[in-house]
Amino acid sequence: DSVDKVEPKHFFKSITSDKDNKQVLFQLNEIAFDYLYFFENYFKLNLREFCSLTTKGAKIMLRLLVQFNNLPKGKNGLKELVLNIDEFRKILKNNALDSYEPKYLKSRVLSPAIKELVDDKRYFNAICCELLKEKKAISSCRISFDDSNRV
């Protein structure tokens, strides 16, 4: 028989390969969908570049912006990404940075990350991060960036 079946424990319920038809079929566990959704475009990350960063905030920002490299440029020549605060906190929480109060988020996480990513223009030409308020509470985060120096 030309069909092999493997049953891994964590992400896949089963993997079936059919050599005659040159097909591989994956049956995913439900938890795998969460991971695949969250890491959908992160596979395009240069590991050497990622490991060269020194702060968690810079690594989070790099990973976030790299996955949105296909955004169109706005009138100001920058790409713009707007995340509601829940999405933004989810990204930070998954990286153990959710403990920062919103008033310290910019000074202790975002500003040092942006400085590291833009300092010598090795990663990005420009990044601007703005915490937007609605009714005196932070409602979203707007990140504008120029990645035209990235290959």
Side-chain angles (χ1 to χ4, degrees), residues 70-109:
N70 292 330
L71 287 174
K73 289 184 180 180
K75 292 178 183 177
N76 60 1
L78 300 175
K79 296 178 180 183
E80 188 174 286
L81 171 64
V82 179
L83 299 167
N84 73 43
I85 197 63
D86 293 331
E87 293 171 320
F88 192 61
R89 290 180 80 71
K90 182 179 178 184
I91 291 167
L92 296 179
K93 186 174 186 174
N94 285 328
N95 291 284
L97 291 175
D98 194 41
S99 60
Y100 284 100
E101 300 252 348
K103 62 183 177 181
Y104 297 119
L105 185 61
K106 191 154 187 170
S107 65
R108 295 189 181 166
V109 178

Side-chain angles (χ1 to χ4, degrees), residues 30-85:
E30 285 189 34
I31 194 165
F33 285 109
D34 291 336
Y35 284 105
L36 288 175
Y37 174 75
F38 188 74
F39 293 110
E40 181 178 342
N41 292 312
Y42 294 170
F43 298 111
K44 298 175 187 172
L45 195 60
N46 179 325
L47 189 57
R48 181 172 298 172
E49 180 180 58
F50 183 77
C51 291
S52 71
L53 295 169
T54 59
T55 64
K56 285 184 181 181
K59 290 178 182 187
I60 292 168
M61 187 74 74
L62 175 70
R63 191 182 66 206
L64 179 64
L65 297 180
V66 165
Q67 73 173 325
F68 290 101
N69 66 338
N70 292 330
L71 287 174
K73 289 184 180 180
K75 292 178 183 177
N76 60 1
L78 300 175
K79 296 178 180 183
E80 188 174 286
L81 171 64
V82 179
L83 299 167
N84 73 43
I85 197 63

